[in-house]
Amino acid sequence: MAHQTVSHAWDAELVPSDLGRTRRPEATCPVEVALAAIGGRWTTLVLRDLMSGPRSFTELADGLPTLSAKVLTERLAGLEQQGLVARRRLGGFPARTEYRLTEAGQLLRPLLVELYRTGEALLAVNPR
């Protein structure tokens, strides 16, 4: 049986540009980029806490007491590598490190808000 060309009608709201018109996950797909930015356990909570302004490592750790220092360090490093978080060493003794969202990191705010709203709606329909 020969292969036939199948035309695909893209939902213009879900896929408004060619970047998302892929047949498999692509690193350049806007949805994949957004998911990678918030991926990983604890990442959304670290981002949430940084949305209200810069925090020291200790302030972040105190706000998430069951998160290990190792995992917090890994999440912050990953967010910094993606250009979503900036790190700054503060003077004094002991030396402190401050973390803040970059302009790119701030772009995640509406995504986190909508994920929360969607989660609430899903829980209302299908409580756990």
Side-chain angles (χ1 to χ4, degrees), residues 37-49 51 112 115:
I38 62 166
R41 191 173 177 119
W42 295 100
T43 302
T44 55
L45 297 178
V46 172
L47 289 166
R48 176 202 65 193
D49 288 359
M51 286 290 165
L112 294 176
L115 282 170

Side-chain angles (χ1 to χ4, degrees), residues 67-118:
L67 173 59
S68 72
K70 177 182 183 265
V71 173
L72 178 55
T73 299
E74 289 171 358
R75 293 304 169 266
L76 289 167
L79 291 166
E80 187 178 6
Q81 185 177 15
Q82 293 178 73
L84 302 172
V85 167
R87 176 175 44 118
R88 182 172 69 133
R89 298 288 275 168
L90 303 174
F93 184 80
R96 292 179 14 154
T97 304
E98 177 185 82
Y99 296 89
R100 66 168 180 78
L101 291 175
T102 62
E103 189 175 328
Q106 289 286 346
L107 293 173
L108 296 171
R109 183 180 198 77
L111 175 60
L112 294 176
V113 168
E114 197 54 44
L115 282 170
Y116 191 94
R117 287 184 187 144
T118 302

